Amino acid sequence: MIRVIALIIIQALLHLTTTATTTAFTFTTLSSTMSTTPVEDTEWGLAQIPSQLPNDRNLVEEEQEEEAVEVAIIGGGLAGLAMAIGLTRANIPCKVFERAPQLRSNSQGILALQPNGMRALENIHPDLPDMIVQAGCEREELVITTIQADGSQQDTIKKTGLEIMQKYGRKKVGLTWHKMQQLLASLLPDGVVVTSRSLVSFQDNEHEVILHLVDNHHHSTTNGPKRTRVRAKVALACDGVFSAARRQMFPDNNNDAPLYFGQLNWATVIDTDKLPPNVHPPSAVHYFVHEGQPRWMSMLNDGGSGQTFWQFRVADPEMALSLSRNKGRGGLGLPGVKETLIPVAQSSCPLVAEAIACIPENQIFERSIVGRRPAATWLSQPHGRLALVGDSAHGMHPNIAQGANSSFESAAAAVTAMAEEYQKSGNNLQEVDWPAALRTYQERRKPKADKVQRWANMMGCSQATGLVDVPKEEMAKMMDWILGGDPENHPSQETMDIIFAFDPSSHPGVSEIL
Ligand SMILES: Cc1cc2nc3c(=O)[nH]c(=O)nc-3n(C[C@H](O)[C@H](O)[C@H](O)COP(=O)(O)OP(=O)(O)OC[C@H]3O[C@@H](n4cnc5c(N)ncnc54)[C@H](O)[C@@H]3O)c2cc1C
């Protein structure tokens, strides 16, 4: 075992972001938590377990509307909207069915858009990278404040913007989640996104997919929630880490349940002028790590547009659970959050404590950190007319900031494969072999996505201990490979073997959400 805490942090900030805290509540607690969390209170769609599946037969009998589309996209999050933009540009008609009643107008989190994600977005629409740079904050500098157990502090400052630009041709950009969603939606024609449509189940038939959708937000007293049937030639399930489509594909969970990493996170986005001065230099990521007990990490990052992203994580399962203001269930604006977190920070870093004191409690979002193991397949059985894209396919621990970036890579790969198949048909929708396109997508994209997902999960688990089995040079190679650096610089087979041998569920505090 090599102690590489500092390196993890530097990696996490050169190339990565986000944090987490560890807890030890059971998956049963977590499930009940999440299923009761209102959709509007969730962030990144990760705290959304689909409600109990209704009896399919009743559902089919009660369907009140039927619609036919060429391509159905389930979920209007980041992957779903990116897919819709790409398909629309390729003249392939599609429609997005999103569970929430509307797209988000605020968020408590920020995404770090990295070179691989930006490259994928550029393939989807050439204007997207510039739009993101304008809406967000290009990251120029990284400041790491390390606080030792004896209270001594050391600052490490790196000019990361230039370094990353020279290496990958693009800087990292921080952008709030809802702005990213709005920006993607702004590139779609009216009517492509339909809200308040939640996938309950699907049928993978020889010539079409049938989707059974329910509108949980509009109930009629006589008929209950409106139920809709959509017939599509092909469907892309971009319905997030708790994907209803994936749950149907692996009915008994079959070693395929979502994972709770035993970590909790507190975060918000706030106007910088409401915080103490100098919490971060302009265009900088300021990362604080407390090496003593309890281990905690915090971030105060420039989020652009005069806003700052704050995040706090305690790397001890028991401690995190004890700090939760909702028995580990998470939620927005939990009473008492500030009162609990401030003393933890105060004893080791008064600046972080002071920042927390300035944040209105009703803006602090507490969340549990969840992800998936690689799926055995991304394609539905028996006819392969539905494929998983984004977090539904490869939801991962957020520690390496690759969830959305990987989702954009998957969306771009799926769009390319579908556009190629459409061209092969002579642009004749009647003749397109959609299952062949989805097979191509999976063949090209899944090997890399699986490795990134395993790596993210392994690095995420290591946050609790600061211990990683991979030498630091290999860690750097891994990130370089993920971001699209020198292909000759691939990590060794030995490193890959370690990554593939790692089983998150053997890690303390990690449990399956059944
Ligand atoms: C703390 C944290 C920090 C993160 N930071 C980063 C970062 O810095 N960089 C990065 O790249 N990634 C980051 N991520 C990950 C990123 O947010 C996700 O990977 C990304 O949002 C995945 O996009 P998606 O479209 O697949 O899923 P989501 O964004 O979750 O979207 C899924 C959509 O599907 C909808 N939906 C769900 N179920 C249904 C249904 N049954 N029917 C219809 N619609 C449905 C949801 O309402 C949602 O709109 C972070 C995640 C967390 C938790």
Side-chain angles (χ1 to χ4, degrees):
M1 284 278 203
I2 302 162
R3 193 160 181 85
V4 283
I5 299 167
L7 197 95
I8 294 171
I9 296 159
I10 289 164
Q11 278 225 331
L13 294 154
L14 274 176
H15 305 303
L16 342 164
T17 24
T18 71
T19 44
T21 338
T22 358
T23 47
F25 52 71
T26 64
F27 53 76
T28 322
T29 316
L30 185 72
S31 294
S32 62
T33 299
M34 291 189 152
S35 52
T36 56
T37 306
V39 171
E40 291 73 19
D41 282 355
T42 61
E43 180 82 339
W44 294 298
L46 290 178
Q48 302 172 18
I49 290 185
S51 52
Q52 195 72 26
L53 289 180
N55 175 305
D56 268 1
R57 215 172 39 175
N58 289 346
L59 184 74
V60 173
E61 282 168 3
E62 291 169 12
E63 272 162 358
Q64 295 152 21
E65 265 183 19
E66 175 160 312
E67 188 175 352
V69 297
E70 186 68 24
V71 182
I73 297 170
I74 305 144
L78 306 185
L81 297 182
M83 280 259 21
I85 295 169
L87 292 177
T88 304
R89 290 191 75 238
N91 294 320
I92 300 171
C94 64
K95 209 155 189 179
V96 179
F97 298 95
E98 162 58 38
R99 177 171 67 182
Q102 66 264 320
L103 302 186
R104 293 183 68 104
S105 57
N106 63 61
S107 49
Q108 286 76 42
I110 232 167
L111 292 165
L113 278 311
Q114 309 209 47
N116 60 319
M118 290 288 252
R119 226 172 286 122
L121 286 167
E122 188 169 12
N123 287 340
I124 282 169
H125 193 300
D127 296 345
L128 267 169
D130 285 344
M131 291 169 76
I132 290 167
V133 169
Q134 274 175 21
C137 177
E138 281 191 303
R139 292 182 168 171
E140 304 292 352
E141 192 175 312
L142 164 65
V143 183
I144 303 169
T145 300
T146 313
I147 308 141
Q148 301 300 336
D150 64 7
S152 59
Q153 285 197 11
Q154 191 190 355
D155 282 350
T156 309
I157 300 173
K158 285 183 169 275
K159 300 284 177 200
T160 49
L162 198 60
E163 196 182 311
I164 290 180
M165 179 78 181
Q166 282 169 348
K167 208 162 175 192
Y168 304 107
R170 288 204 175 279
K171 293 179 185 172
K172 269 175 67 171
V173 184
L175 182 64
T176 49
W177 196 98
H178 74 282
K179 277 194 194 162
M180 186 71 215
Q181 191 188 37
Q182 287 171 1
L183 197 146
L184 293 169
S186 74
L187 291 173
L188 286 170
D190 285 350
V192 170
V193 181
V194 185
T195 54
S196 294
R197 295 285 185 280
S198 182
L199 178 80
V200 175
S201 64
F202 69 93
Q203 291 161 247
D204 179 21
N205 295 341
E206 194 180 350
H207 300 294
E208 65 180 3
V209 195
I210 299 180
L211 306 177
H212 301 290
L213 304 162
V214 64
D215 176 353
N216 284 320
H217 301 93
H218 302 100
H219 288 247
S220 95
T221 39
T222 43
N223 297 326
K226 186 158 99 186
R227 302 183 189 285
T228 313
R229 181 202 318 246
V230 171
R231 295 177 175 280
K233 295 281 177 49
V234 60
L236 289 317
C238 306
D239 53 343
V241 76
F242 294 113
S243 169
R246 182 159 168 176
R247 192 165 54 158
Q248 183 179 326
M249 284 164 63
F250 300 92
D252 304 320
N253 271 311
N254 233 345
N255 206 19
D256 193 67
L259 293 176
Y260 163 54
F261 285 103
Q263 307 185 350
L264 288 185
N265 215 65
W266 292 267
T268 200
V269 177
I270 182 169
D271 291 345
T272 310
D273 61 14
K274 302 222 167 69
L275 292 170
N278 307 323
V279 285
H280 56 69
S283 305
V285 168
H286 194 169
Y287 190 80
F288 302 78
V289 59
H290 182 234
E291 299 274 19
Q293 290 302 325
R295 277 174 61 83
W296 59 258
M297 306 96 178
S298 188
M299 279 187 172
L300 280 158
N301 300 349
D302 191 344
S305 311
Q307 292 198 302
T308 292
F309 170 59
W310 163 79
Q311 187 172 261
F312 194 81
R313 191 175 292 180
V314 180
D316 175 273
E318 305 282 331
M319 170 63 83
L321 185 58
S322 75
L323 293 175
S324 169
R325 299 313 297 158
N326 194 18
K327 298 183 183 142
R329 295 175 177 196
L332 182 65
L334 299 173
V337 162
K338 285 171 65 168
E339 197 187 320
T340 316
L341 295 183
I342 289 171
V344 180
Q346 181 67 46
S347 54
S348 33
C349 187
L351 179 60
V352 171
E354 221 184 307
I356 301 172
C358 295
I359 301 169
E361 193 155 80
N362 62 6
Q363 289 180 26
I364 297 178
F365 190 86
E366 178 184 297
R367 66 156 46 250
S368 42
I369 299 297
V370 296
R372 310 286 310 216
R373 293 192 193 87
T377 176
W378 292 351
L379 305 181
S380 60
Q381 299 295 328
H383 299 291
R385 285 192 175 265
L386 177 144
L388 305 174
V389 182
D391 271 7
S392 62
H394 45 64
M396 62 187 79
H397 191 291
N399 129 297
I400 67 162
Q402 273 296 319
N405 289 290
S406 289
S407 296
F408 293 138
E409 282 196 76
S410 295
V415 167
T416 302
M418 291 173 77
E420 285 171 4
E421 209 57 48
Y422 179 48
Q423 265 190 350
K424 263 195 225 166
S425 73
N427 297 350
N428 179 354
L429 287 171
Q430 305 308 318
E431 299 293 327
V432 190
D433 185 348
W434 290 126
L438 299 190
R439 285 195 299 276
T440 304
Y441 152 64
Q442 165 158 280
E443 273 160 31
R444 288 179 186 163
R445 176 67 189 134
K446 195 166 186 293
K448 179 180 177 188
D450 280 1
K451 287 181 195 164
V452 175
Q453 187 182 13
R454 287 176 190 275
W455 175 244
N457 291 348
M458 185 170 126
M459 293 299 285
C461 288
S462 78
Q463 280 200 313
T465 56
L467 300 170
V468 181
D469 276 338
V470 174
K472 60 182 182 185
E473 313 76 52
E474 286 292 302
M475 292 170 70
K477 279 188 187 176
M478 190 69 199
M479 272 325 291
D480 186 52
W481 174 72
I482 291 172
L483 298 185
D486 179 0
E488 300 297 311
N489 198 26
H490 196 276
S492 68
Q493 189 54 48
E494 199 184 343
T495 297
M496 294 324 282
D497 290 346
I498 293 171
I499 295 169
F500 273 72
F502 179 78
D503 175 8
S505 45
S506 66
H507 202 269
V510 179
S511 53
E512 294 194 333
I513 305 168
L514 297 174

